[in-house]
Amino acid sequence: MRLGFILLNVLVGTSAVAVDYPLPAGHREAFMANTGAAMVASPGNVLFNPAGLGFRDTDKLSLSVSGNAISSQKFDIPYQKIVPQEMTIRPTLAASIYPTTFGTGAFFVANPLAFQIIASSSQSLSGGYFLNSTQKVRQDAIVIGGSFGSSLGERFAWGVSGGVQTGTDESTHYFTLTQGGAYASTQFAQRDEKKTAIIVIPGIMAKVTEAWTVGLSMKLLPFFIESTATEFSSKLESTSPTTIQETVTTYDPQAEASMAVRLGQNFSLIGGNRVNLDVVYNSQSKTRNADGTIDTSAEDWFYAFGWRNTSPEGWEPLFGYARGESEPATSDLITAGVSITKRRNEIIVGAFHMGTTPKSENGSKFSSYGIMFSSNVAF
């Protein structure tokens, strides 16, 4: 299952219960490299900073759906031939937002992390041995919850999102070792992990001036409802062809959850230009292995830039770039799109590319690209 462990490290410490996500998520935020800490009145506020709902200036109910219509992943391991190219359809966020007497409420369902890697490889080893392997890694996360935001005067707003997040990690590994065309050994290994946790996202936002807004939010996993992992392995060797060696281990993989802090700024510039700047800190987390040892995922930082230009013609270009820095790798996210607005209804289409570069010579590269869409309809 080596591929699974490499993949988790290459994706900058990401896991299915991570509190921050490297792939695009949200409404406008997804097309602006996930810059959302200081974004006002966006359906994506439920994930990035619910205080933005407090500055919503309409009494209309709105429904929003966004996601990646098509995406593909590529994964490179040194000295191995990798053939993932898995095409997926993945909704990212569905949110209903409605006004109340005291502020703005929302219900949402999000799938901000979903990918699958399938890798096949063949290697020549010393002593005339040949190793053939097939590996598969899949991660998925679903968040269901509600949000509320309210303003205190015209300059300050607060908000909180809360809900349940369920994450699954699955990896399988099958390999055969041959010599002279005869099997020397075969082995199959599988690991299934599921974690369900309470997620809380408090946030505040302030309009310092008419052209400058500042936002701060946190993502916390205060406790886990469920945390289980099962590892199964089966091995057969030519020296004992009638004896199958099997092991099954079930354990709790959660040792210490991480937290994320997001600080952002939004600037309204001349010519209808709007710029978002976000800095995100993810604390370290710890996971437990089947043998009881503890692995520590290092803390990491993300720096994101987002830009859009408002237009009286009803369409806006959007662009974003984010850079992530962690101990095992660096990551880059590039996003772009066009927003078309008619009355209070908005649709956005665009594309993204996300890639990671390992800092070790023996590390592995990962990249994902796809087409994105988002729509928001007000009633």
Side-chain angles (χ1 to χ4, degrees), residues 232-254:
F232 169 78
S233 66
S234 177
K235 185 177 181 181
L236 182 64
E237 297 182 340
S238 59
T239 55
S240 182
T242 60
T243 302
I244 300 177
Q245 305 174 39
E246 292 185 349
T247 60
V248 179
T249 305
T250 300
Y251 59 98
D252 179 2
Q254 186 60 44

Side-chain angles (χ1 to χ4, degrees), residues 308-360:
R308 69 185 177 109
N309 180 268
T310 58
S311 169
E313 286 77 20
W315 66 275
E316 304 176 1
L318 302 95
F319 172 81
Y321 172 76
R323 175 87 170 178
E325 291 285 348
S326 69
E327 183 178 327
T330 60
S331 66
D332 296 278
L333 173 65
I334 300 174
T335 62
V338 176
S339 169
I340 302 173
T341 304
K342 187 175 182 180
R343 297 185 181 91
R344 291 186 178 274
N345 304 325
E346 181 181 20
I347 184 170
I348 313 175
V349 293
F352 77 92
H353 179 271
M354 182 265 187
T356 63
T357 302
K359 295 181 179 179
S360 169

Side-chain angles (χ1 to χ4, degrees), residues 6-288:
I6 294 175
L7 182 57
L8 297 184
N9 289 331
V10 168
L11 285 178
V12 198
T14 298
S15 74
V17 290
V19 290
D20 206 64
Y21 307 102
L23 294 171
H27 179 55
R28 292 193 191 99
E29 298 88 348
F31 301 85
M32 300 172 67
N34 290 350
T35 54
M39 189 170 292
V40 172
S42 168
N45 290 148
V46 298
L47 293 177
F48 291 92
N49 189 349
L53 296 174
F55 284 131
R56 193 168 182 263
D57 60 356
T58 176
D59 59 355
K60 302 293 185 180
L61 168 71
S62 69
L63 300 176
S64 176
V65 177
S66 59
N68 298 350
I70 300 176
S71 66
S72 179
Q73 293 87 35
K74 183 179 180 181
F75 192 53
D76 297 321
I77 302 178
Y79 314 113
Q80 297 190 33
K81 179 183 178 182
I82 307 300
V83 286
Q85 297 304 325
E86 181 71 20
M87 308 300 285
T88 62
I89 297 177
R90 178 174 67 89
T92 300
L93 174 66
S96 61
I97 302 175
Y98 56 93
T100 71
T101 304
F102 305 102
T104 300
F107 291 104
F108 65 91
V109 177
N111 181 205
L113 179 66
F115 64 86
Q116 179 172 275
I117 300 295
I118 301 174
S120 298
S121 65
S122 179
Q123 301 180 67
S124 177
L125 308 177
S126 60
Y129 286 95
F130 289 89
L131 177 65
N132 294 283
S133 67
T134 300
Q135 303 171 83
K136 178 180 177 180
V137 177
R138 178 178 175 271
Q139 284 195 352
D140 199 37
I142 297 177
V143 186
I144 301 175
S147 300
F148 183 81
S150 182
S151 62
L152 300 176
E154 298 181 354
R155 296 288 187 180
F156 184 80
W158 65 273
V160 62
S161 293
V164 177
Q165 178 168 301
T166 298
T168 57
D169 294 346
E170 301 174 359
S171 61
T172 59
H173 179 195
Y174 175 76
F175 77 81
T176 61
L177 189 66
T178 60
Q179 184 183 42
Y183 285 103
S185 176
T186 64
Q187 182 172 344
F188 173 82
Q190 179 174 320
R191 181 178 185 273
D192 298 319
E193 177 181 305
K194 182 177 181 180
K195 296 179 181 179
T196 302
I198 298 297
I199 183 170
V200 180
I201 310 173
I204 57 175
M205 197 175 294
K207 293 184 177 180
V208 182
T209 68
E210 292 298 325
W212 179 26
T213 302
V214 177
L216 175 68
S217 66
M218 300 176 65
K219 292 186 180 181
L220 307 169
L221 301 173
F223 66 88
F224 283 77
I225 302 172
E226 178 184 13
S227 177
T228 59
T230 301
E231 292 190 7
F232 169 78
S233 66
S234 177
K235 185 177 181 181
L236 182 64
E237 297 182 340
S238 59
T239 55
S240 182
T242 60
T243 302
I244 300 177
Q245 305 174 39
E246 292 185 349
T247 60
V248 179
T249 305
T250 300
Y251 59 98
D252 179 2
Q254 186 60 44
E256 180 182 302
S258 62
M259 62 169 287
V261 179
R262 178 181 292 269
L263 174 64
Q265 301 180 76
N266 174 275
F267 300 93
S268 297
L269 308 177
I270 60 174
N273 293 292
R274 293 178 179 270
V275 172
N276 284 7
L277 300 174
D278 277 25
V279 177
V280 183
Y281 166 76
N282 291 309
S283 67
Q284 71 174 21
S285 61
K286 296 181 179 180
T287 56
R288 185 177 292 105

